[in-house]
């Protein structure tokens, strides 16, 4: 199935893997909101991660905090409150030291860190953001499939060559999976052609910014200033 997903995504603008992982992330957020809000296993995983990374927490909340997001957040907040309720300042091992030094009021920074470490640890995520973890898993599936089905008569190479290529982070991911010299070389060749074309378009933008060429019509370089950012760092997150 991911072969066809890849083939379709390669026909879309931008990096195919960015496109697919963004979709995977949106679908996962929806499923969390609609299906697994009351699933005890999902709740446990969310609680263990102490919720979500900032960008996925905001994605989950949407524009006006849906009911699903409220239910999940309430559970997380209650969990934080339980941790605070059980919190203890663990100064015991420093007591004797302190009396030796003449009973001063405050502990040194190091002693304070030791006395509060249990609470701080419990407030720290014990697992990765569940959406990030899912996205990483899907990214791995897509990159492995792309590389595996790149060559050969029905391979993805032609679709790739006609696409805007992968973004740099996903290209790195693909290259790290290229397990033979032929594949290594065709991947680089395909990506180089795509990026050289993009570099030419940027040169056009720069050239036409000169007053002598300012009246020339805009060509294929339209939008290249933003496309190059996506090529270097990945697709812009949706609001
Ligand atoms: Zn990408
Ligand atoms: Zn995340």
């Amino acid at each position: 199935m991911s072969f066809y997903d890849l083939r379709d995504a390669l026909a879309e603008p931008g990096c195919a893997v960015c496109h697919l992982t963004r979709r995977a992330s949106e679908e996962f957020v929806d499923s969390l909101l609609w299906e697994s809000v009351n699933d005890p296993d999902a709740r446990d995983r969310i609680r263990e991660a102490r919720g979500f990374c900032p960008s996925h927490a905001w994605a989950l909340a949407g524009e006006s905090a849906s009911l699903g997001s409220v239910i999940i957040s309430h559970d997380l907040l209650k969990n934080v409150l339980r941790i605070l309720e059980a919190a203890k300042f663990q100064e015991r091992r420093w007591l004797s030291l302190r009396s030796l030094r003449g009973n001063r009021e405050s502990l040194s920074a190091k002693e304070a860190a030791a006395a509060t470490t249990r609470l701080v640890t419990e407030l720290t995520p014990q697992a990765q953001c569940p959406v990030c973890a899912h996205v990483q898993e899907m990214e791995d599936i897509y990159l492995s499939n792309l590389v595996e089905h790149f060559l050969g008569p029905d391979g993805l190479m032609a679709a790739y060559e006609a696409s805007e290529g992968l973004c740099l982070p996903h290209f790195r991911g693909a290259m790290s999976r290229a397990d033979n010299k032929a594949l290594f070389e065709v991947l680089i060749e395909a990506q180089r052609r795509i990026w050289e074309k993009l570099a030419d378009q940027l040169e056009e933008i720069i050239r036409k910014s000169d007053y002598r060429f300012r009246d020339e019509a805009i060509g294929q370089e339209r939008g290249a200033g933003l496309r190059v950012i996506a090529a270097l760092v990945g697709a812009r997150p949706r609001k």
Side-chain angles (χ1 to χ4, degrees):
M1 203 173 83
S2 81
F3 172 86
Y4 295 103
D5 285 346
L6 279 162
R7 204 192 49 188
D8 293 348
L10 284 166
E12 302 275 339
C15 165
V17 177
C18 278
H19 184 79
L20 290 168
T21 49
R22 180 150 76 182
R23 198 177 72 187
S25 148
E26 287 169 358
E27 284 172 1
F28 190 70
V29 164
D30 278 351
S31 80
L32 278 176
L33 288 175
W34 300 110
E35 292 152 33
S36 31
V37 155
N38 291 311
D39 169 358
D41 284 346
R43 283 277 193 106
D44 283 347
R45 259 180 288 131
I46 296 169
R47 222 179 273 156
E48 211 190 335
R50 305 289 183 264
F52 303 87
C53 69
S55 74
H56 289 133
W58 287 111
L60 216 87
E63 284 305 309
S64 54
S66 62
L67 180 61
S69 154
V70 169
I71 293 171
I72 292 171
S73 306
H74 175 249
D75 186 69
L76 286 166
L77 191 60
K78 293 294 273 185
N79 189 48
V80 171
L81 284 170
R82 270 194 297 274
I83 292 171
L84 293 186
E85 207 177 304
K88 283 191 179 68
F89 192 69
Q90 298 178 292
E91 60 178 339
R92 261 236 218 79
R93 48 190 289 228
W94 305 105
L95 268 179
S96 54
L97 249 177
R98 208 150 51 119
S99 48
L100 273 177
R101 290 181 196 160
N103 225 359
R104 62 192 164 77
E105 288 284 306
S106 313
L107 304 180
S108 71
K110 201 175 149 202
E111 289 164 344
T116 56
T117 186
R118 185 182 290 175
L119 170 69
V120 173
T121 304
E122 282 184 8
L123 292 172
T124 304
Q126 313 288 306
Q128 197 185 11
C129 159
V131 187
C132 284
H134 178 72
V135 166
Q136 238 170 50
E137 212 176 288
M138 296 308 289
E139 204 171 56
D140 180 52
I141 292 173
Y142 286 125
L143 286 170
S144 303
N145 270 283
L146 175 72
V147 167
E148 194 182 324
H149 301 291
F150 200 76
L151 297 172
D154 296 316
L156 291 164
M157 190 164 113
Y160 189 94
E161 284 172 333
S163 79
E164 289 179 21
L166 295 179
C167 66
L168 184 54
H170 286 138
F171 181 65
R172 270 201 310 269
M175 290 313 294
S176 71
R177 288 163 175 84
D179 57 3
N180 65 75
K181 188 165 176 263
L183 184 58
F184 181 89
E185 285 172 355
V186 290
L187 272 169
I188 289 181
E189 186 55 27
Q191 191 75 27
R192 268 188 58 194
R193 282 217 198 103
I194 291 163
W195 277 341
E196 276 164 5
K197 212 167 90 191
L198 182 57
D200 290 345
Q201 293 171 359
L202 297 173
E203 277 157 38
E204 273 298 272
I205 294 179
I206 296 163
R207 186 183 68 82
K208 288 180 187 171
S209 72
D210 187 308
Y211 72 97
R212 287 170 297 169
F213 312 113
R214 207 165 267 171
D215 295 335
E216 287 183 30
I218 300 173
Q220 286 195 321
E221 73 274 18
R222 187 185 296 278
L226 291 178
R227 277 187 277 120
V228 67
I229 308 289
L232 291 170
V233 304
R236 189 205 285 259
R238 258 205 277 268
K239 271 200 181 166

